[in-house]
């Protein structure tokens, strides 16, 4: 039997499995009785195994780095996804901070709390991006000098 | 800034002269058929190394295959 899985199919399957895992965890928290924990663990392990096999098939069907156009598409998609993810996350976290965090109670809880921490992490992503830009610029000759640089 | 306009090319003509399908050329060059299709339609500019591979495969210079549309 010759099974083939395209990259896009793999990513969609990955998202669906993640969605199912979230559903199972939701159910387990809501049910809060045996065998909720066992079911959650089993579904998590099953999800990992399914993803592993799908990944192997996807790698066979469309090997990574086999085609320069696909690499170009992947790079563009990744950058655009990061941009949109950053904007959405930042807006959502700001909304959460304003609506649900009680500023009157204890300011330390706000500053060291998870929401503020995630906002700082998002700012960290920008610094990380700039650091990678420096690194790759250096790696690909951006700071090299020659006779015209003097 | 938007991407620059892709270059025009004669791959389809040279492919026809060599009696090759897109799939056949893609296999010879180690890329997918979709990549050959995208280059032929002017939707994707190949890397310099792929452009060299294409011209070497057809035994002509790069300028014989790729040219600026403007």
């Amino acid at each position: 039997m010759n099974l083939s899985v395209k990259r896009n199919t793999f990513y969609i399957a990955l998202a669906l499995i993640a969605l199912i895992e979230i559903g199972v965890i939701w159910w387990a928290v809501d049910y809060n009785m045996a065998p909720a924990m066992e079911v959650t663990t089993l579904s998590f392990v099953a999800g990992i195994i399914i993803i592993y096999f799908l990944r192997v098939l996807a790698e066979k069907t469309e090997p990574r780095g086999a085609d320069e156009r696909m690499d170009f598409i992947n790079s563009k998609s990744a950058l655009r996804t990061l941009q949109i993810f950053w904007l959405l996350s930042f807006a959502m976290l700001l909304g959460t901070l304003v609506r649900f965090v009680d500023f009157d109670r204890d300011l330390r809880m706000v500053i060291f709390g998870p929401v503020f921490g995630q906002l700082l992490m998002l700012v960290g992503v920008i610094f990380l991006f700039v650091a990678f830009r420096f690194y790759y610029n250096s790696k690909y000759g951006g700071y090299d000098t020659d006779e015209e640089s003097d | 800034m938007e991407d620059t306009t892709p270059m025009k090319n004669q791959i389809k003509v040279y492919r026809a002269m060599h009696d090759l399908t897109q799939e056949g050329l893609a296999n010879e060059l180690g890329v997918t058929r979709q990549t050959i299709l995208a280059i032929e339609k002017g939707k994707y500019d190949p890397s310099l190394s792929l452009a060299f591979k294409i011209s070497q495969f057809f035994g002509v210079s790069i300028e014989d295959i790729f040219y600026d549309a403007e």
Side-chain angles (χ1 to χ4, degrees):
Chain A
M1 195 165 62
N2 197 10
L3 284 172
S4 69
V5 175
K6 291 194 168 186
R7 285 266 168 209
N8 283 344
T9 313
F10 168 69
Y11 289 128
I12 290 168
L14 187 68
L16 287 176
I17 289 169
L19 207 61
I20 291 168
E21 298 289 349
I22 292 170
V24 170
I25 289 170
W26 188 310
W27 167 81
V29 171
D30 188 46
Y31 191 64
N32 201 20
M33 280 164 62
M37 202 173 155
E38 289 78 4
V39 170
T40 310
T41 310
L42 275 177
S43 69
F44 187 74
V45 172
I48 297 278
I49 292 168
I50 293 167
I51 288 167
Y52 174 78
F53 280 111
L54 287 176
R55 192 166 168 270
V56 170
L57 289 173
E59 192 62 38
K60 265 187 197 166
T61 313
E62 287 178 13
R64 212 184 296 267
D67 187 72
E68 62 170 48
R69 190 177 132 271
M70 282 318 295
D71 290 342
F72 172 74
I73 289 169
N74 282 339
S75 304
K76 282 216 142 196
S77 307
L79 183 62
R80 195 46 62 92
T81 305
L82 177 70
Q83 288 170 338
I84 292 170
F85 172 78
W86 195 95
L87 274 177
L88 287 177
S89 305
F90 196 76
M92 218 171 85
L93 285 168
L94 271 187
T96 310
L97 194 71
V98 172
R99 277 192 71 182
F100 298 110
V101 175
D102 188 0
F103 286 92
D104 297 330
R105 204 165 153 210
D106 187 353
L107 204 58
R108 279 173 306 178
M109 292 294 285
V110 176
I111 291 171
F112 297 109
V115 177
F116 204 78
Q118 285 173 49
L119 278 169
L120 285 179
M121 202 179 73
L122 282 179
V123 175
V125 166
I126 298 176
F127 284 115
L128 192 65
F129 179 70
V130 174
F132 273 122
R133 277 181 56 88
F134 273 117
Y135 170 71
Y136 283 116
N137 198 5
S138 155
K139 189 178 176 183
Y140 295 115
Y143 303 117
D144 290 355
T145 54
D146 59 7
E147 69 273 10
E148 286 191 20
S149 315
D150 300 331
Chain B
M1 198 174 75
E2 260 311 303
D3 297 346
T4 51
T5 316
M7 301 196 80
K8 298 266 180 193
N9 64 79
Q10 299 271 32
I11 293 178
K12 200 171 183 175
V13 176
Y14 278 95
R15 214 166 35 78
M17 283 161 61
H18 287 76
D19 197 22
L20 264 173
T21 61
Q22 287 176 340
E23 185 82 50
L25 180 61
N27 289 338
E28 292 287 344
L29 299 170
V31 295
T32 60
R33 190 186 70 81
Q34 281 76 20
T35 296
I36 300 297
L37 174 68
I39 296 170
E40 277 187 8
K41 288 203 161 195
K43 290 194 169 178
Y44 172 69
D45 278 342
S47 66
L48 195 56
S49 63
L50 181 56
F52 264 109
K53 265 190 188 174
I54 294 169
S55 64
Q56 278 169 359
F57 179 79
F58 290 125
V60 292
S61 68
I62 283 187
E63 292 92 337
D64 289 331
I65 297 182
F66 295 98
Y67 56 95
D68 199 344
E70 289 163 10

